[in-house]
Amino acid sequence: MHDVRAVSAPSMPRLAAASLAGTAIEFYDFFVYGTAAALVLGPLFFPTFSPLAGTLAAFATFGVGFVARPLGSVVFGHLGDRRGRRPVLVLSLLLTGASTVAAGCVPSYDTIGVAAPVLLLVLRFLQGLGLGGEWGGAVLLTAEHAPPGRRVLWSSFPQMGPAIGFVLANGVMLALSATLTDAEFTRWGWRVPFWAAGVLALAGLWLRSSLTESPRFLELDDHARVPFVEVVRHHRRLVLLTAGGLAAGYAVFYAVTTWSLAFATERLGVSRTVMLTCVMAAVIVNGSLTPLMALLGDRFGRRPMCLTGCAACALWMLPMVALLATGEPLLMFLGILGALIAFITTFAVIAAYLPELFEARVRCTGAAVGYNLGGVLGGALTPIVATTLAEHGGRVPWGVGVYLTGIALLSLGCFALLPETRPLSAPAVEPATG
């Protein structure tokens, strides 16, 4: 047995802050690509396509990052279950940061031809691979240190990373968009946020250098030899249900943070600056509500919060697209905000819920694969499907609302089939295999 080092209460804020910072940096890398895909990548890397086809092609390369994430979960999950959660945080951050900086250096189609979109595709795949490992390591290190009665609260800190990463990515894009001419932004301005990822990655590595290994991992005597094989054999139902349950959150988040940018700027004529401001303001509110939703998860349970969030998504999607289609900044903001509040009601508790569903010997692999497979189901296709549906609809893209409502109902059914995991007493109870 490993020597178990006790972790004092004061270390939890430091641990949560380091996990949050790293997650924010990696999601910054991931989101800066999504914003660029919505605004400029189509004409630069797919110039022979029509404007619609170019946007769809850019979103397709965006989706490749999601496809890579489950593979990253398998690779880094194996490392996390065999060697510890901490090494995952360092290697995944290095991979994501390096691939993001490289993506900002890829010449356009006019310079190197078809090699440009191919290189972009490869780097997006590597970016997704790193992010697929990041989430599992960050949330497990926090969740397995946290006291059972406040596990959702402490685990929610890494879950604020996507909101902070999004605001950072779009804040830089907004500043550049507001200060540069369209020609300057298209020629070189969009690359600056990609290059900044290198500095952020170094800062994240410094923050994570002093983290201690998870006490739950150190207690394990018997490590799974091939964690992914064990997950497939004994936990596949849990993986599929968690992936299906999370699909709605991914679909809603990327509909409002990626597809809506392209829809509002290209179809409604809303300025890029106004639309980025609306989305960023809603994401800031979303991130600030995360600890509150987490406290409710500690108080009332994980499953009730997930069911509530999915039901709210199903009820709000049609009003959301109607508000978005007005082109009025305040109404668009309210539509996006309602969707993100429904989203965070579920996702604030997921960082504690998923690890509690899986036994410790395969927890890094099982939780991360379920989480990132949900990203493929809900996040990878949503910008593409929504763009296509909106193109063939009227001014109000009702088809997008129906599509998102359907995914929300699917997720609601999946969470209804999962058990509650909130500890009734201080000791954590390992779940049965599922």
Side-chain angles (χ1 to χ4, degrees):
M1 181 181 292
H2 299 276
D3 293 330
V4 180
R5 288 170 286 181
V7 180
S8 60
S11 70
M12 280 308 305
R14 178 175 56 84
L15 177 64
S19 295
L20 166 61
T23 305
I25 291 165
E26 294 216 44
F27 273 94
Y28 165 90
D29 296 349
F30 202 71
F31 289 144
V32 80
Y33 188 102
T35 305
L39 299 177
V40 297
L41 294 188
L44 288 174
F45 290 88
F46 306 95
T48 60
F49 292 12
S50 69
L52 172 62
T55 299
L56 288 171
F59 280 148
T61 60
F62 174 73
V64 165
F66 285 98
V67 175
R69 283 171 65 170
L71 179 59
S73 300
V74 173
V75 174
F76 286 100
H78 183 93
L79 175 66
D81 285 323
R82 294 284 299 170
R83 302 297 180 187
R85 313 334 187 184
R86 187 175 176 273
V88 173
L89 300 185
V90 175
L91 295 176
S92 63
L93 188 58
L94 279 172
L95 178 59
T96 308
S99 57
T100 304
V101 173
C105 298
V106 176
S108 67
Y109 185 94
D110 289 341
T111 304
I112 60 173
V114 72
V118 170
L119 283 172
L120 204 63
L121 193 71
V122 170
L123 291 169
R124 179 61 175 174
F125 182 86
L126 293 175
Q127 200 183 47
L129 200 70
L131 191 62
E134 157 67 23
W135 186 86
V139 301
L140 256 66
L141 201 63
T142 308
E144 291 183 339
H145 275 91
R150 283 289 179 262
R151 186 173 292 142
V152 180
L153 176 61
W154 288 116
S155 300
S156 73
F157 280 82
Q159 291 300 86
M160 287 187 276
I164 294 173
F166 181 86
V167 170
L168 283 174
N170 285 273
V172 176
M173 285 287 191
L174 179 60
L176 291 166
S177 180
T179 56
L180 301 177
T181 66
D182 285 345
E184 290 171 333
F185 184 82
T186 302
R187 188 167 63 252
W188 59 268
W190 68 272
R191 298 180 184 274
V192 174
F194 286 79
W195 297 335
V199 177
L200 293 175
L202 292 175
L205 290 171
W206 176 77
L207 284 170
R208 290 181 164 182
S209 62
S210 62
L211 294 182
T212 59
E213 185 53 77
S214 157
R216 188 68 188 91
F217 176 80
L218 294 173
E219 290 171 358
L220 286 174
D221 284 320
D222 184 24
H223 298 281
R225 185 173 181 180
V226 185
F228 180 67
V229 172
E230 190 166 321
V231 166
V232 171
R233 286 179 179 172
H234 304 297
H235 301 273
R236 58 183 175 272
R237 179 176 178 273
L238 281 179
V239 170
L240 293 175
L241 286 176
T242 54
L246 295 173
Y250 276 108
V252 169
F253 189 86
Y254 287 100
V256 300
T257 61
T258 300
W259 166 75
S260 70
L261 289 175
F263 174 76
T265 55
E266 295 172 10
R267 288 286 303 279
L268 304 180
V270 178
S271 78
R272 186 166 54 209
T273 301
V274 167
M275 195 57 200
L276 283 172
T277 302
C278 288
V279 176
M280 283 177 57
V283 171
I284 289 171
V285 176
N286 163 78
S288 66
L289 289 176
T290 303
L292 172 61
M293 297 300 183
L295 284 170
L296 294 176
D298 276 323
R299 175 66 180 85
F300 298 107
R302 291 67 160 134
R303 184 171 171 269
M305 296 296 291
C306 291
L307 294 173
T308 301
C310 290
C313 284
L315 293 171
W316 187 247
M317 291 303 97
L318 291 174
M320 182 201 74
V321 296
L323 291 168
L324 185 65
T326 65
E328 295 294 329
L330 179 59
L331 296 179
M332 290 192 299
F333 166 74
L334 292 175
I336 292 169
L337 178 61
L340 290 181
I341 290 175
F343 154 81
I344 203 58
T345 302
T346 293
F347 270 60
V349 305
I350 285 300
Y353 192 23
L354 263 63
E356 289 171 345
L357 286 168
F358 293 89
E359 57 181 315
R361 56 186 275 116
V362 295
R363 185 171 286 158
C364 195
T365 300
V369 170
Y371 184 83
N372 287 296
L373 189 58
V376 176
L377 298 176
L381 295 178
T382 291
I384 299 171
V385 173
T387 300
T388 304
L389 291 173
E391 181 66 20
H392 293 89
R395 180 178 175 86
V396 181
W398 295 117
V400 177
V402 172
Y403 169 73
L404 294 172
T405 300
I407 296 180
L409 292 174
L410 169 67
S411 294
L412 185 68
C414 290
F415 278 124
L417 295 174
L418 286 170
E420 176 56 69
T421 60
R422 181 169 65 99
L424 298 178
S425 57
V429 179
E430 290 292 341
T433 55

